[in-house]
Amino acid sequence: MKLEPTVFCSNKPHHMERFLEVCLLLLLYDEIGYGYGLIEQLSYFGFAVEDLNVSTLYRTLRKMETEGLVTSQWAEGGQGPKRRVYEITVKGQSELDHWIRILKVRRARIESLISAYDHKLQPGGPDVKGENTDGDF
Amino acid sequence: MKLEPTVFCSNKPHHMERFLEVCLLLLLYDEIGYGYGLIEQLSYFGFAVEDLNVSTLYRTLRKMETEGLVTSQWAEGGQGPKRRVYEITVKGQSELDHWIRILKVRRARIESLISAYDHKLQPGGPDVKGENTDGDF
DNA sequence: TAGACTATATGTGCAATGCATATAGTGATG
DNA sequence: CATCACTATATGCATTGCACATATAGTCTA
């Protein structure tokens, strides 16, 4: 029942260290929220709902609380089970700022890579050979 | 002799799943190379030399070989110890193409996030609060 | 002969994540 | 009431990508 290991990058993991965490911080920066409800909002960042792993979401939120980035309390009222509602802290806001800077570096690196790929290592790269001008893609 | 490394991020891990691997595939797509020499070339993608972890590099290359993405052989001649020279395979090229596609999705997500941060959740997002218009950076 | 340098390799451990599963309250329906 | 579907939160297990530390060894120079 396993996927063929030759199927590189089937569809699943593709981690991106703490990216989910940063998304959550940003959402909570705007307004308080609870786990299940945040899932929908994550689509703003290009997440398909089926991409998201509920376990990871909750575990991430709990971890963020232990780190002091958010606080939580049980919300009464409404229908359905009680919700644990999260609120960002000052420390969480700093962390958000910090990670945005990191993500900008990350973006630059990805840009460099994609650019190099699309030009097959042309500008500023090592001695350009002119070979490999075949353009797949 | 290298391009200016644009890196200013703090110091630590900040993984990016398999990003190094994709960089290596792209470098080897251009021309064959060996471990130690690839380190310098990685600065083209925004890696500072001191960012790079030599262990990770070699382990990654070996892993890529067991996966059939590259082949290697010992190169004689020249001075210094022998070098294990790597060459990309057809499978490696497919893998590269595939990961580029993933990185483009990744780029889009990072763009969404940074954009939302800079605008504090304005376009298409939930109710905009208008607060926090301070622009660090 | 002794470093300094180049080059490759591995043991250990951690953190981020996916997958599977558990627990439990609410509302609707028969 | 009993049952079921749905919402909501939580946790055990395994995988994996990476860092850190360390090991091995050839070459060159003093």
Side-chain angles (χ1 to χ4, degrees), chain B residues 20-105:
Chain B
L20 176 63
E21 179 175 323
V22 185
C23 290
L24 292 173
L25 284 172
L26 185 51
L27 288 173
L28 295 175
Y29 188 88
D30 188 56
E31 58 180 351
I32 61 175
Y34 67 101
Y36 217 81
L38 288 164
I39 292 179
E40 284 188 356
Q41 300 186 45
L42 283 168
S43 65
Y44 298 139
F45 304 121
F47 281 108
V49 178
E50 62 270 17
D51 282 349
L52 288 168
N53 192 293
V54 186
S55 332
T56 303
L57 181 97
Y58 281 106
R59 207 193 311 265
T60 300
L61 285 168
R62 301 300 279 149
K63 190 202 67 173
M64 287 162 66
E65 186 169 25
T66 67
E67 291 171 346
L69 309 180
V70 294
T71 55
S72 78
Q73 53 186 20
W74 288 102
E76 306 282 346
Q79 64 255 72
K82 277 190 289 188
R83 299 168 171 175
R84 184 185 287 276
V85 176
Y86 289 91
E87 183 173 7
I88 194 171
T89 64
V90 174
K91 186 178 175 184
Q93 293 179 18
S94 310
E95 181 92 347
L96 173 60
D97 294 339
H98 189 82
W99 272 99
I100 291 290
R101 274 177 238 123
I102 291 172
L103 283 175
K104 287 181 174 175
V105 174

Side-chain angles (χ1 to χ4, degrees), chain B residues 6 11 16 42 49 56 61 73 95 106-108 112 118:
Chain B
T6 54
N11 41 1
M16 235 168 81
L42 283 168
V49 178
T56 303
L61 285 168
Q73 53 186 20
E95 181 92 347
R106 203 175 275 187
R107 172 177 64 175
S112 303
D118 286 340

